[in-house]
Amino acid sequence: MRIKQYVSALLIGLTTVGLVGCSGGADNKTINVGAILSLTGVLAHGGVDARNALQLAVEEINASGGIKGRQVKLLVENTNTDPERTVSGALKLANENKVLAIVGPDNSPTAFAARSQVAEPEHIVIMSVTGSSPKLTEGNPRWFFRGATPAEFQTKSLVQYLVKEKGLKRFAILSDSGITDQIESFTKDLKAMGLEPVATEMFKSGQTNFNGPLLNIKSKNPEAIFFIGYITEGASALTQARNLGVDARFLGSIGIIYDEFIKVAGKSSEGVIASIGFTASNEAADVQKFVTAYKTKYNQDPSHAAAQAYDQVNLIFQAIQNQNLTFDSAKVEQDRVMIRDYLEQVKNYKGITSMISYSPTDHSAYKDVNILEVVNGKWKVIKHSGEAN
Amino acid sequence: MGTIIIVGITVGLIYGLVAIGYSLIWQTMGLVHFAQGDLLMIGGFLVLTFINAGFSSPLLVCILVFLAMGLIGAFIEQVAYRPIPREKHVTRIICTLGVGLILRNLAVLLWGTSSRGLPENFFPGAALALGEVSIQPVYYWTFIIGCTLVLGLVLFLYRTKYGVAMRLTAYNPALAELMGVNSKLFQSAAFMLAIGITGVAGMLISPIAFVHYNMGLSFGVKGFTAAIIGGLNSLPGSLVGGIVLGLSEVFFGKYLSGYVDVLAFTVMILVLIFKPRGLLGKVEAEKI
């Protein structure tokens, strides 16, 4: 019994020392930037993509000498696409690791949590890499920045394209019941064209049997079905729809605009149309430079989550470069204010995703989108942003 | 209406297979095996592994998955459940939750976090036309394989002496020992059988729902619900429960898609209120 007690005491002692020793990473020589992303979870493909892009950006800047002679260190916390873990990860980065700013997270529910429980109360900049709910930037947040296209701009371009150029009139909506903002946005855009959705069906995240809602949609005979949700559900719904003889074209929302979707859904993904700012097939020179660098390092094309993360973190680097930071971990609050102030003055930053501008009253960036279609197993731009309808 | 019935029965058959697993394990081991859903997931991934290894015949893959899952079941039973005495009910249940957790994380390590589906045309054949309803191959193959499995199980349990021995072990292990039946052996065998069946269910669901490491939860709960609706004590009941659940899901999904789960569980509650032992559950009386 004595030995057991000694061993236990020793283990507890070592663990405590280990924990104390490990916490806090603000070394006065490095610049700490944090990230809260889904390395596992429903949005793992997006989160891992974003993390890869962040690592790439950090390597690029460190290779060119760092910022003001200091090397940048990236600290990543896994959210598992879960709001509670997002908050705890962000708090750890802010309070223990004393990061200057945080990139992430990667969907609206986790972004809401990060905004209201970390960014605004702790006064630290958090820039989300995706997250389309318009409500994320309502109410004039001063610390939370959106790094993705809000839903209302995604759906507007999509609806205008389909109605004006393709002449479609009958649209159905099949949506994850946890993501209501896109339904509102899409319906509003249809109404602006004088149309109403012929059916609006809901399902729950993780649902595997879509036959019921699809049968109802089938009976209303739509020409297109706007699917709002994530990849697995999208692929299941698409496959089940085709099995039921529902031939209507599938429209995607941001949740499925990943190469992963094409991989999972296979041939049935041909012809799916969606709208987004970034796509790897965009021929512009700066986009291709990023795509090539990403592909060389990670052996796959970057998704929009990666591109948006890359733009966000580069903006943060610019803020650090151009402001007079103290780089003193005891004065990190002052440094964070300077970063936030810089970001709010950004005008027409040419990112690889789109032109980014922020202001003290507008923390939502990306407003122009491209229309994409899955052609021959790849997402292809069929209409560039800014082109007239 | 025809499509609702066909799709509902097919999906229900899959829930029924998971429910049969629950029922079989409950009856022979007195354990509610909450890792069923995660084992279905492992079955689904194993199918992909076998296909990638070059096996393309659905029947062959089915048999391989059944056998492989049976072996996995044997391992789990020996390592995780056998060491715990039967009376420690809570401990055993917590153990099943632990097994589920380990399986999920193992799946991430082995197969990653992305969802996978079966290759196109894994189930060969053309769509079958039945009146105005067109049935895709995946649905009728699921029906055929599912029914064959259930039939095989019934024949085994009621027409072979090993099946009789297994049923006796389920009914009363002490009595079985007196009759010369090695009750521990048959409990293990029943467990392996249950897991094998669950694995095949995983193969049947993967073309339409895609396999990913977290899919087990929803199937585990649905399978359990189906078993409760039909009666945990009754194997045919599990099948009936599964079909009732499948039909409810498709039917309610068509007319009130936002409330599918609420309505399906309401069905379960109603069944429990009016028939607490399940639709086909037997009332057991113990003579003191």
Side-chain angles (χ1 to χ4, degrees):
Chain A
M1 274 304 122
R2 279 275 179 83
I3 299 181
K4 239 188 168 176
Q5 285 171 340
Y6 281 136
V7 172
S8 308
L10 190 63
L11 279 174
I12 292 173
L14 281 173
T15 318
T16 317
V17 169
L19 283 175
V20 166
C22 284
S23 73
D27 163 357
N28 273 339
K29 298 277 168 46
T30 64
I31 294 174
N32 284 352
V33 173
I36 39 175
L37 295 167
S38 303
L39 300 179
T40 56
V42 162
L43 267 169
H45 47 277
V48 168
D49 252 15
R51 192 241 359 232
N52 291 347
L54 292 178
Q55 279 174 346
L56 183 65
V58 167
E59 273 170 30
E60 284 175 356
I61 198 122
N62 282 342
S64 64
I67 309 179
K68 295 191 173 167
R70 292 165 195 267
Q71 294 282 289
V72 176
K73 190 159 149 205
L74 179 70
L75 297 155
V76 184
E77 289 291 323
N78 181 11
T79 65
N80 197 36
T81 325
D82 177 52
E84 285 90 37
R85 280 180 68 167
T86 305
V87 170
S88 60
L91 287 173
K92 173 168 181 279
L93 289 168
N95 297 331
E96 278 181 42
N97 305 112
K98 307 259 189 251
V99 297
L100 290 176
I102 298 178
V103 177
D106 38 45
N107 79 347
S108 301
T110 49
F112 276 116
R115 164 185 158 172
S116 59
Q117 297 192 42
V118 187
E120 302 298 314
E122 303 287 324
H123 290 193
I124 180 167
V125 164
I126 298 187
M127 302 184 95
S128 70
V129 301
T130 57
S132 8
S133 169
K135 300 199 178 74
L136 275 175
T137 43
E138 268 171 35
N140 202 9
R142 296 304 302 281
W143 295 90
F144 176 81
F145 289 77
R146 183 210 303 273
T149 316
E152 63 261 35
F153 292 96
Q154 291 176 39
T155 54
K156 189 152 124 198
S157 311
L158 196 58
V159 168
Q160 283 190 352
Y161 172 76
L162 291 165
V163 174
K164 288 199 183 146
E165 274 187 49
K166 293 278 196 184
L168 297 187
K169 289 195 177 44
R170 302 179 62 78
F171 293 87
I173 302 178
L174 179 60
S175 173
D176 186 320
S177 52
I179 311 175
T180 48
D181 298 306
Q182 300 233 359
I183 303 181
E184 283 170 23
S185 184
F186 193 75
T187 311
K188 212 171 74 178
D189 294 323
L190 281 178
K191 286 214 171 85
M193 301 259 123
L195 298 168
E196 290 263 353
V198 301
T200 305
E201 300 293 327
M202 312 270 241
F203 61 86
K204 261 179 50 187
S205 256
Q207 188 159 319
T208 49
N209 184 2
F210 297 89
N211 291 295
L214 284 169
L215 280 173
N216 195 24
I217 287 179
K218 183 176 180 184
S219 67
K220 303 285 187 341
N221 222 353
E223 295 162 298
I225 301 174
F226 185 45
F227 178 83
I228 302 169
Y230 302 111
I231 290 182
T232 311
E233 290 84 349
S236 299
L238 186 52
T239 310
Q240 289 171 23
R242 300 298 180 240
N243 279 339
L244 288 176
V246 177
D247 294 319
R249 187 191 280 278
F250 253 60
L251 308 174
S253 61
I254 196 170
I256 61 167
I257 309 181
Y258 294 93
D259 286 341
E260 178 77 13
F261 174 71
I262 301 178
K263 210 163 68 157
V264 179
K267 284 209 203 76
S268 12
S269 64
E270 277 301 296
V272 173
I273 290 184
S275 58
I276 191 71
F278 170 84
T279 170
S281 50
N282 187 349
E283 315 84 32
D286 52 349
V287 175
Q288 285 309 309
K289 181 163 170 273
F290 166 71
V291 171
T292 314
Y294 187 97
K295 220 162 154 170
T296 312
K297 194 164 148 79
Y298 298 109
N299 236 344
Q300 60 182 50
D301 277 341
S303 67
H304 59 91
Q308 280 155 200
Y310 187 78
D311 275 347
Q312 300 302 305
V313 80
N314 275 317
L315 271 173
I316 291 175
F317 290 159
Q318 235 187 40
I320 299 174
Q321 178 73 43
N322 290 322
Q323 293 283 67
N324 253 331
L325 298 188
T326 67
F327 294 118
D328 180 353
S329 57
K331 301 213 181 99
V332 76
E333 286 89 27
Q334 292 180 21
D335 288 353
R336 288 173 183 167
V337 172
M338 286 195 254
I339 292 180
R340 189 279 307 269
D341 289 343
Y342 180 87
L343 289 171
E344 282 187 336
Q345 302 305 316
V346 165
K347 288 283 172 286
N348 292 334
Y349 170 82
K350 194 166 182 300
I352 53 170
T353 49
S354 83
M355 289 286 233
I356 302 175
S357 299
Y358 290 120
S359 83
T361 48
D362 181 9
H363 278 206
S364 213
Y366 307 51
K367 307 252 173 36
D368 44 327
V369 291
N370 302 308
I371 310 279
L372 307 179
E373 181 175 348
V374 179
V375 176
N376 287 335
K378 289 204 142 311
W379 287 105
K380 191 161 169 277
V381 179
I382 53 176
K383 189 170 157 69
H384 288 272
S385 61
E387 282 174 28
N389 263 315
Chain B
M1 195 34 115
T3 323
I4 292 185
I5 294 178
I6 292 172
V7 175
I9 290 181
T10 312
V11 174
L13 200 54
I14 298 175
Y15 295 147
L17 289 175
V18 180
I20 284 177
Y22 273 107
S23 183
L24 205 53
I25 297 174
W26 166 255
Q27 288 186 61
T28 50
M29 289 172 65
L31 176 67
V32 183
H33 192 226
F34 285 119
Q36 280 295 88
D38 299 301
L39 282 160
L40 176 128
M41 174 268 294
I42 297 278
F45 274 119
L46 273 180
V47 174
L48 288 169
T49 310
F50 285 129
I51 293 176
N52 283 334
F55 299 101
S56 57
S57 150
L59 287 172
L60 186 58
V61 172
C62 185
I63 294 172
L64 285 172
V65 168
F66 183 82
L67 293 173
M69 290 299 286
L71 287 173
I72 292 175
F75 178 73
I76 293 177
E77 197 253 345
Q78 289 291 319
V79 170
Y81 306 132
R82 184 66 77 86
I84 308 174
R86 193 158 167 151
E87 315 78 60
K88 294 208 176 295
H89 300 293
V90 176
T91 311
R92 292 171 104 211
I93 291 181
I94 306 269
C95 201
T96 66
L97 296 174
V99 167
L101 190 64
I102 292 174
L103 289 172
R104 281 195 291 280
N105 284 286
L106 202 63
V108 173
L109 284 174
L110 290 173
W111 294 292
T113 50
S114 31
S115 312
R116 316 264 207 91
L118 293 189
E120 318 266 330
N121 300 324
F122 175 67
F123 289 112
L128 206 57
L130 221 67
E132 87 288 0
V133 179
S134 168
I135 313 176
Q136 294 292 320
V138 63
Y139 289 111
Y140 60 71
W141 273 97
T142 300
F143 189 75
I144 294 170
I145 294 178
C147 287
T148 310
L149 211 50
V150 172
L151 208 63
L153 184 64
V154 166
L155 284 172
F156 170 73
L157 288 175
Y158 289 88
R159 289 265 193 264
T160 68
K161 65 176 182 179
Y162 297 108
V164 174
M166 195 177 279
R167 282 192 297 132
L168 183 58
T169 313
Y171 179 70
N172 189 335
L175 183 59
E177 290 280 345
L178 285 176
M179 305 290 271
V181 171
N182 184 343
S183 66
K184 288 248 184 285
L185 181 67
F186 278 92
Q187 279 176 7
S188 299
F191 190 83
M192 289 167 66
L193 194 56
I195 303 301
I197 293 174
T198 310
V200 174
M203 172 176 116
L204 297 175
I205 199 72
S206 38
I208 45 180
F210 300 90
V211 221
H212 62 97
Y213 71 99
N214 252 341
M215 72 186 295
L217 183 62
S218 90
F219 283 100
V221 170
K222 294 215 177 118
F224 183 64
T225 310
I228 296 281
I229 290 177
L232 209 48
N233 274 325
S234 157
L235 285 181
S238 303
L239 196 58
V240 168
I243 292 178
V244 166
L245 190 63
L247 284 168
S248 312
E249 255 191 13
V250 182
F251 182 77
F252 293 132
K254 178 162 192 224
Y255 297 108
L256 285 164
S257 63
Y259 300 95
V260 175
D261 285 345
V262 170
L263 293 165
F265 286 116
T266 307
V267 167
M268 179 184 91
I269 292 175
L270 286 171
V271 167
L272 285 177
I273 291 174
F274 292 105
K275 292 214 91 189
R277 295 278 174 186
L279 289 172
L280 296 183
K282 305 174 276 261
V283 176
E284 280 163 16
E286 254 186 71
K287 284 200 179 148
I288 304 172

